[in-house]
Amino acid sequence: SFTKACFTAADKKEESIKLSLEILRASSTFSLAAGTTIGGNRATLLSDLGDNIWIVGIVMKEYLKMVKIKITGPASSVWLGTRLAKKYTAACANQVSFTESCFRGEDPKRNVLPASVNVRPAKLFQPSFWRVTKAGLKDKDGYELPTTLSLDLGDNVWIVGLVDHEILELVKIRVTGLKTFTWLATRYIEEYSGKCGEQRWFTEQCFEGEDPKHDKYPVTLYPQQASSWSYSF
C-alpha cells in the first residue's frame, strides 16, 4: 500500500537523510547460443552482463580476444568495445569463471573482431515445485555416496553431483514426485575447474565433460516440496 500518496511529510530543505543506492542492471531478454562467432571464429566464452549486454571471447594465438556487444534483436547487435589480452589469468579462459573483470587488455579502439550472434529469447526462470535437499549417487558396485552439489534449473530440473577420487560426477534429472524422477543426462570430468567442485560456485556451465550416454551414476532421491512463497534479502 506504499504509494505516492504517502509522500506527504514536511519538506525539509536541508538534506537530513543520506541515501545509499544499490543499482542492478536489468536481466537480459536475449540469450546467446552456440554458433555465435567473433572474427569468424566460434566463441567459447560468454558472459551475460544484463540488459542484453554480453562479453564474447575466445583464446587464440596466446591472446584472449574479447568483444562487448549489446543485442538489439534476434540477429543483430551493436559493438561496444574490444579487448586483446596477452596476459590473462587461467580463470578468464574458463567459461565458468569468465566475468566482466576479464574484459581488459589492449584496446584497438575499433571493431577488429566483428561478432555474428546466434540469439534466442532468454528463458524465464521458474523455481521448481520440488526441492532437492538430499540425494546420493551410486557407483558401478552399487555403493552410494551423498551428493555435495545441487542446482535448480527451474521447472523441476536439477543437476546433482559430487567429487569422487578427483572426478566430478554430475547427473541431470527432472523430479516428478516425492521419490520419483526422470534421468536426463550424465557427465563426468577429471580435469575440471576447481570452482565447480564447490557448491557456492556451482553453475550450469559446470555440466560438461564426458557423456557416457547412459545412467552411469544412478540417483537416490530425497526431495521436498518447495514452499509456494520464497523471500530473499
Side-chain angles (χ1 to χ4, degrees):
S1 57
F2 184 66
T3 66
K4 184 179 179 180
C6 299
F7 194 69
T8 58
D11 184 8
K12 294 184 177 181
K13 301 301 182 181
E14 297 181 359
E15 182 181 354
S16 58
I17 301 175
K18 292 185 177 180
L19 182 64
S20 177
L21 298 178
E22 180 181 358
I23 301 174
L24 301 177
R25 185 175 283 160
S27 300
S28 294
T29 54
F30 291 105
S31 177
L32 289 179
T36 295
T37 65
I38 56 173
N41 298 287
R42 186 176 69 87
T44 56
L45 302 167
L46 304 172
S47 181
D48 181 5
L49 306 185
D51 197 24
N52 293 319
I53 297 175
W54 287 73
I55 297 176
V56 184
I58 187 174
V59 176
M60 288 185 64
K61 298 180 179 179
E62 300 181 353
Y63 276 87
L64 173 57
K65 301 181 178 182
M66 297 164 287
V67 177
K68 182 183 290 187
I69 58 175
K70 183 178 181 68
I71 301 174
T72 55
S76 60
S77 64
V78 175
W79 173 78
L80 300 177
T82 298
R83 294 293 185 274
L84 306 174
K86 190 169 186 179
K87 294 182 179 180
Y88 57 89
T89 64
C92 286
N94 189 310
Q95 172 59 48
V96 175
S97 45
F98 182 63
T99 64
E100 188 173 13
S101 63
C102 298
F103 192 72
R104 55 188 178 184
E106 178 188 349
D107 182 359
K109 306 292 185 181
R110 57 193 179 90
N111 189 10
V112 297
L113 297 169
S116 175
V117 297
N118 183 19
V119 178
R120 62 189 176 193
K123 181 181 179 181
L124 296 177
F125 178 76
Q126 297 292 331
S128 293
F129 178 79
W130 295 101
R131 181 163 53 93
V132 176
T133 57
K134 182 181 177 183
L137 300 186
K138 293 182 179 179
D139 61 17
K140 62 180 180 180
D141 298 318
Y143 183 75
E144 181 179 307
L145 291 174
T147 58
T148 56
L149 305 167
S150 63
L151 180 66
D152 182 8
L153 302 183
D155 198 25
N156 294 318
V157 176
W158 286 77
I159 297 175
V160 295
L162 54 83
V163 177
D164 183 24
H165 294 92
E166 300 184 357
I167 298 177
L168 181 61
E169 303 173 355
L170 304 171
V171 181
K172 183 183 292 186
I173 59 175
R174 182 186 297 276
V175 182
T176 55
L178 189 59
K179 290 188 178 181
T180 58
F181 62 91
T182 301
W183 171 80
L184 300 177
T186 296
R187 296 290 188 273
Y188 65 94
I189 184 170
E190 295 184 20
E191 297 181 1
Y192 62 92
S193 167
K195 290 187 175 182
C196 284
E198 300 180 38
Q199 177 61 44
R200 61 175 177 163
W201 301 112
F202 188 58
T203 66
E204 189 174 8
Q205 284 72 32
C206 295
F207 194 75
E208 58 181 4
E210 295 291 329
D211 181 0
K213 306 294 185 182
H214 68 278
D215 189 4
K216 183 179 177 70
Y217 308 111
V219 175
T220 302
L221 197 61
Y222 308 94
Q224 292 181 357
Q225 182 175 324
S227 171
S228 299
W229 299 92
S230 62
Y231 297 85
S232 59
F233 298 89

